[in-house]
């Protein structure tokens, strides 16, 4: 189906979508449905099933049966890698349909979505390569022994994905899950489930065995809770808010499930006075407003050296005011809506908080656009506050919208202290032409990812995750792939000398 036909079909009729269990779409056991809204227009795109505890159990059991099946568990690493490469090809062949559907569902401008989604087949191919290259270890140990390890896939992976990057965040987890030989049950955000359901269908049609990739739709406090606490999960993956991570992580922890939690963020960006101010402003706008600021790595705290501070504030405000806001299906649009009315109100509440905080200065945005053609959507102007201090809520708390604060610093030590003065620790960034300073400061930032003279860059090979309230575990890279295995140590005694601990015990050289 072409992109225009897909968009037209979504606009002409409201589809009702079921759950995807055991290789096919099936109805939920409960009758209530959830509306999926186009955030640019407020129109209903689809209605989705609200999975019950029994539905979640059915999906997990399907994944567990597939994990134990000869069709999946008996598949060789090379055959599985060939299949995953085929899935990457199928993904790529359907890119136009997928990125248009993603844009309709989550409101990101079509140019952003195309640029992001088109890279995702690489995650599958990278992990297929890891599956082929995987080796177990032979470990030198004391004595006449052969010690080697056997790694076995851990089992069923439960995955709760967010609304901001539905497919990218799904694929970051799905690729190593499949490549390692595990199976999965995914609960996408109730706001943005449509591309996940479509991808599951495409993958099964391409040859992925039924039950390997299941999708349950519904709300976090019901469907998400049931999935996270299911006793048959071997691993729990969540990308979302810190509070959701605490709740579901505790539930999964009762069953000693492995966990990867990528949670909130409040990315500090240190701008030193030796860096080109115009480039720093361009990166600041990109880091803060891409995806309407709805990213955990949003460059929401610009910490700027006092010698270039005033110039930076003036130019960032002008840049923000020049960004084109509109319906994201229009290729000329640079900023789309936030995902929901609730999220729009959250951003506007933080504008109010900023205005009430003593000393903060609103220099751009802070309003709903006045264009009447946008009245049905959930738009907020790109917002910039200047003269923000570390004690202010808008410096400390995650807004998750097109919202950035600017704070002044005078010395390197002060800048680092400001950057680290936060409960979050997902990412940080540095703008400087001094290579020694760049490495020195990067080592002192308390976070899991640092960009030097760049922002938002990720790669399938590069580990991704945070510290402090930003979560635990890593996605991408060998780190993520390796977290999908249990390691078994096998110790082989290589001589046949008689052994009897209870004869001449005093002369025995060792017990263990």
């Amino acid at each position: 189906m072409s992109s225009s036909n897909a968009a037209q079909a979504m606009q002409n009729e409201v589809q009702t979508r079921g759950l995807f269990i055991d290789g096919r779409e099936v109805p939920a056991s409960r009758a209530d449905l959830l509306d999926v809204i186009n955030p640019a227009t407020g129109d209903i795109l689809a209605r989705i099933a609200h999975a019950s505890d029994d539905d979640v159990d059915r999906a997990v059991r399907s994944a567990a049966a597939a994990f134990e099946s000869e069709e999946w568990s008996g598949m060789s690493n090379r055959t599985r890698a060939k299949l995953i490469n085929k899935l990457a090809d199928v993904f790529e062949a359907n890119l136009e349909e997928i990125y248009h559907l993603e844009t309709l569902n989550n409101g990101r401008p079509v140019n952003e979505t195309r640029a992001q989604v088109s890279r995702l087949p690489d995650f599958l191919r990278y992990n297929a390569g890891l599956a082929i290259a995987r080796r177990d270890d032979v470990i030198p140990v004391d004595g006449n022994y052969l010690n080697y390890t056997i790694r076995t896939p851990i089992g069923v992976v439960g995955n709760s994905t967010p609304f901001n990057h539905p497919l990218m965040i799904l694929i970051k987890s799905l690729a190593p899950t499949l490549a390692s030989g595990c199976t999965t049950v995914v609960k996408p955000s109730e706001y943005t489930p449509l591309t996940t359901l479509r991808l599951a269908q495409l993958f099964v049609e391409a040859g992925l065995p039924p039950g390997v990739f299941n999708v349950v739709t519904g709300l976090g406090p019901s469907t998400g809770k049931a999935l996270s606490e299911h006793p048959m999960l071997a691993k729990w993956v969540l990308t979302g808010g810190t509070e959701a991570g605490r709740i579901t992580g505790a539930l999964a922890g009762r069953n000693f499930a492995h966990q990867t939690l990528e949670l909130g963020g409040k990315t500090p960006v240190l701008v030193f006075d030796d860096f080109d101010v115009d480039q720093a402003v361009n990166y600041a706008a990109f880091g803060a407003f891409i995806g309407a600021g709805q990213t955990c790595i949003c460059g929401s705290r610009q910490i700027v050296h006092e010698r270039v501070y005033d110039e930076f504030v003036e130019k960032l405000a002008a840049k923000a005011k020049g960004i084109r806001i509109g319906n994201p299906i229009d290729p000329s649009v640079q900023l789309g809506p936030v995902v929901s009315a609730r999220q729009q109100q959250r951003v506007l509440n933080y504008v109010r908080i900023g205005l009430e905080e003593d000393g903060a200065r609103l220099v751009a945005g802070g309003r709903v656009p006045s264009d009447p053609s946008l009245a049905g959507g959930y738009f907020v102007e790109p917002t910039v506050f200047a003269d923000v201090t570390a004690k202010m809520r808008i410096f400390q708390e995650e807004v998750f919208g097109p919202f950035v604060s600017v704070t002044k610093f005078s010395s390197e030590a002060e800048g680092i202290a400001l950057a680290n003065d936060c409960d979050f620790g997902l990412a940080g960034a540095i703008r400087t032409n001094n290579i020694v300073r760049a490495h020195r400061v990067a080592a002192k930032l308390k976070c899991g990812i640092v960009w030097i003279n760049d922002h938002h860059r990720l790669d399938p090979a590069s580990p991704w995750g945070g510290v402090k309230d930003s979560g635990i575990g890593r996605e991408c890279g060998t780190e993520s792939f390796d977290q999908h295995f249990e390691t078994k140590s096998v110790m082989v005694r290589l001589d046949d000398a008689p052994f009897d601990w209870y004869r001449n015990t005093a002369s025995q050289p060792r017990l263990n």
Side-chain angles (χ1 to χ4, degrees):
M1 182 183 293
S2 72
S3 60
S4 59
N5 289 340
Q8 191 63 45
M10 294 298 293
Q11 291 169 358
N12 287 344
E13 64 173 306
V14 176
Q15 299 176 317
T16 297
R17 304 300 305 272
L19 313 174
F20 197 88
I21 298 175
D22 211 28
R24 60 194 178 94
E25 193 164 324
V26 298
S29 60
R30 56 192 292 174
D32 58 312
L33 299 172
L34 305 173
D35 291 341
V36 179
I37 304 296
N38 181 337
T41 64
D43 296 334
I44 298 175
L45 287 174
R47 293 186 173 92
I48 57 169
H50 188 181
S52 67
D53 290 11
D54 288 342
D55 295 326
V56 170
D57 182 65
R58 183 166 38 134
V60 174
R61 291 185 182 278
S62 172
F67 178 73
E68 298 292 345
S69 70
E70 183 61 25
E71 184 179 15
W72 186 245
S73 68
M75 190 180 290
S76 72
N77 283 341
R78 290 185 181 270
T79 301
R80 184 176 290 110
K82 287 179 181 178
L83 174 58
I84 293 167
N85 277 313
K86 181 181 178 182
L87 299 182
D89 293 341
V90 168
F91 194 131
E92 214 157 51
N94 289 274
L95 271 177
E96 188 175 0
E97 175 195 350
I98 289 170
Y99 73 67
H100 275 87
L101 182 58
E102 185 106 322
T103 292
L104 284 172
N105 198 173
N106 83 338
R108 292 191 71 171
V110 68
N111 294 327
E112 286 186 21
T113 306
R114 182 192 294 111
Q116 183 181 81
V117 171
S118 63
R119 292 194 62 219
L120 299 185
D122 289 347
F123 286 77
L124 293 162
R125 294 185 178 114
Y126 172 77
N127 280 274
L130 291 181
I132 293 175
R134 178 172 72 85
R135 293 182 178 182
D136 289 307
D137 297 319
V138 175
I139 304 168
V141 295
D142 186 40
N144 195 16
Y145 291 89
L146 169 65
N147 183 205
Y148 63 91
T149 61
I150 299 174
R151 288 194 295 170
T152 55
I154 56 177
V156 180
V157 179
N159 187 5
S160 178
T161 61
F163 63 77
N164 54 337
H165 310 294
L167 278 185
M168 186 193 76
I169 290 173
L170 167 67
I171 291 295
K172 282 197 299 182
S173 175
L174 185 65
T177 295
L178 299 183
S180 65
C182 294
T183 59
T184 191
V185 179
V186 177
K187 192 210 86 67
S189 167
E190 63 272 20
Y191 293 114
T192 54
L194 300 182
T195 48
T196 300
L197 288 165
R198 180 62 178 138
L199 199 67
Q201 181 184 29
L202 287 171
F203 281 6
V204 168
E205 291 172 356
L208 190 68
V212 172
F213 177 14
N214 304 277
V215 182
V216 291
T217 54
L219 301 175
S222 51
T223 308
K225 176 179 180 293
L227 182 58
S228 67
E229 67 184 357
H230 199 287
M232 294 177 71
L233 285 193
K235 181 177 174 70
W236 172 242
V237 179
L238 178 136
T239 302
T242 298
E243 191 56 32
R246 286 194 177 99
I247 293 169
T248 62
L251 294 171
R254 294 176 185 172
N255 298 310
F256 301 106
H258 300 248
Q259 296 190 36
T260 298
L261 306 175
E262 201 253 71
L263 308 177
K266 192 72 174 175
T267 299
V269 180
L270 280 167
V271 179
F272 288 93
D273 60 328
D274 65 326
F275 194 76
D276 182 81
V277 173
D278 291 322
Q279 278 299 294
V281 166
N282 289 342
Y283 274 123
F286 173 73
F289 304 138
I290 201 82
Q294 297 171 119
T295 70
C296 296
I297 52 171
C298 171
S300 54
R301 290 190 294 150
Q302 299 288 317
I303 301 170
V304 181
H305 194 275
E306 61 184 3
R307 280 197 283 269
V308 293
Y309 178 84
D310 291 338
E311 181 185 2
F312 180 94
V313 169
E314 180 182 354
K315 289 183 173 180
L316 180 57
K319 188 81 174 180
K321 293 172 184 176
I323 292 174
R324 292 190 296 275
I325 306 171
N327 192 314
I329 63 172
D330 180 350
S332 70
V333 163
Q334 297 172 318
L335 183 74
V338 293
V339 76
S340 65
R342 177 182 179 184
Q343 198 64 25
Q344 181 190 47
Q345 191 56 54
R346 175 182 173 88
V347 178
L348 295 174
N349 284 342
Y350 272 101
V351 172
R352 176 185 53 78
I353 290 167
L355 291 170
E356 292 173 353
E357 293 195 287
D358 187 25
R361 180 165 51 99
L362 179 66
V363 295
R367 299 170 300 183
V368 174
S370 58
D371 184 345
S373 69
L374 305 180
Y378 311 126
F379 295 88
V380 182
E381 292 177 343
T383 299
V384 182
F385 273 92
D387 303 344
V388 175
T389 64
K391 292 182 179 180
M392 294 180 183
R393 289 180 62 185
I394 60 172
F395 183 93
Q396 295 288 344
E397 299 177 14
E398 186 176 36
V399 177
F400 224 66
F403 188 108
V404 60
S405 69
V406 190
T407 301
K408 185 186 298 184
F409 77 93
S410 58
S411 68
E412 180 179 307
E414 181 189 11
I416 293 170
L418 284 166
N420 290 333
D421 187 4
C422 185
D423 291 335
F424 297 110
L426 182 55
I430 303 162
R431 312 280 181 251
T432 182
N433 292 322
N434 184 326
I435 190 169
V436 175
R437 172 194 284 150
H439 290 294
R440 182 173 64 239
V441 174
K444 293 180 179 180
L445 294 182
K446 296 178 181 178
C447 56
I449 308 157
V450 178
W451 294 287
I452 297 172
N453 301 341
D454 205 346
H455 207 93
H456 274 288
R457 185 67 180 176
L458 79 159
D459 190 274
S462 182
W464 181 280
V467 300
K468 300 191 286 185
D469 280 2
S470 289
I472 58 173
R474 292 295 179 267
E475 296 178 301
C476 305
T478 58
E479 289 81 357
S480 176
F481 182 76
D482 290 344
Q483 289 168 9
H484 289 78
F485 295 92
E486 298 285 9
T487 301
K488 180 184 299 181
S489 175
V490 180
M491 185 78 75
V492 184
R493 187 180 179 218
L494 296 180
D495 65 53
D496 56 2
F499 172 79
D500 184 352
W501 174 261
Y502 295 102
R503 180 171 180 173
N504 298 322
T505 301
S507 64
Q508 296 283 357
R510 60 189 296 274
L511 176 61
N512 52 31

